[in-house]
Amino acid sequence: MTESDLQKLLGTSDPDRGCDESGALMDEYCEAVLRGEGSSAHFAEFCAHIANCTACREDTESLLALLREQDSTNPG
Amino acid sequence: MTTVTLDRESAEWLRDLQDDGRSREHAVARLHALMLRVAHREASRRRATLPGRTLEDVDDICVQAASDALMAVLAKLETYRGAARFTTWACKFAIYETSTRLRRHAWRQRKVELDDTIWDRLADASPPALQRLENDQLIAALYRAIDEHLTERQRLIFRSAAMDDVPIDVLAERLGTSRGAIYKTLYDARAKLRHALIEAGYGEQERES
């Protein structure tokens, strides 16, 4: 058994504001990631949430992929 | 309150959508087209994970998701504060509506045990999450903790979402509630189980938060 198996099952104890409040930050977070600012303390609870919530993590990954695609289509 | 200056394009979207006349009509049509493109893109991104019957319905699913995303954006327009570009903010609604519908459709013909009969299956097969664990004593302690510390609803949601890998959007639909409410129950159940396992001598003391 690895630590990540157990963490996937039981989540982490980091502060987590849940899907609704985290969802409100998703767009801001994704643009920050593209600017290289995704690790800002402002997003700590959002990052804890997407580590624990598969649905919100997948949605965030989709939005990030969309923005990256748009950036590569419209550079500058 | 922090004042955010909108970028030009976002300001134009907002101005047009709040207009009373033809500018609004055009903006709504453009927004709907954007929601539909994002919905199709999201479906395409998930294609490999979708069963054949969902792929057959994918165009209808995208149309419904785009319409609901458009309604959500228009209903929440006054909450847009400009922390991200308007289109980024709007696209997250299209992604949410599409991913939720696709997860639910993909699970439509799959059974989710919504009562304690779920426990009867333990003798026959390990849930997917436990097949990844190998420590028999820890698994036994986890089962004890589930049995002794969780409420009936917490047991149901933890077993389905964390152990059987049922998407929380599917549980939300079948239990008549929201993704957020299911997640909150899962979060509380996990916290109780972590605490119980630490008390039983497994793992380290949790950090104070």
Side-chain angles (χ1 to χ4, degrees), chain A:
Chain A
M1 177 191 58
T2 67
E3 196 173 321
S4 67
D5 289 332
L6 199 57
Q7 184 174 315
K8 184 170 183 292
L9 197 59
L10 298 180
T12 66
S13 58
D14 297 326
D16 177 342
R17 291 181 184 271
C19 300
D20 296 338
E21 283 193 48
S22 300
L25 266 183
M26 185 187 296
D27 47 334
E28 186 182 349
Y29 171 77
C30 289
E31 288 194 354
V33 168
L34 262 57
R35 292 193 305 271
E37 298 166 6
S39 54
S40 153
H42 178 56
F43 299 113
E45 291 183 20
F46 177 84
C47 291
H49 179 69
I50 61 172
N52 289 327
C53 178
T54 308
C56 290
R57 181 170 62 252
E58 289 178 357
D59 288 355
T60 303
E61 288 168 352
S62 288
L63 185 57
L64 259 176
L66 175 70
L67 296 183
R68 287 189 171 121
E69 200 176 280
Q70 288 173 345
D71 275 7
S72 65
T73 311
N74 305 303

Side-chain angles (χ1 to χ4, degrees), chain A residues 10 14 16 23 31 59 62, chain B residues 42 88 92 99 183 194 207:
Chain A
L10 298 180
D14 297 326
D16 177 342
E31 288 194 354
D59 288 355
S62 288
Chain B
E42 176 65 11
T88 305
K92 78 177 171 185
S99 70
Y183 181 78
R194 286 195 306 270
R207 291 194 301 274

Side-chain angles (χ1 to χ4, degrees), chain B residues 32-85:
Chain B
H32 183 254
L34 175 64
M35 298 294 93
L36 195 55
R37 280 199 305 277
V38 173
H40 278 294
R41 188 194 163 285
E42 176 65 11
S44 171
R45 188 175 148 78
R46 294 177 166 275
R47 176 168 288 271
T49 67
L50 301 175
R53 64 179 182 283
T54 300
L55 292 174
E56 287 172 13
D57 291 342
V58 81
D59 287 342
D60 285 344
I61 293 170
C62 289
V63 167
Q64 290 165 16
S67 293
D68 281 1
L70 175 68
M71 298 306 292
V73 169
L74 295 177
K76 294 183 178 181
L77 206 53
E78 290 188 0
T79 69
Y80 173 63
R81 294 284 174 264
R85 285 174 293 182

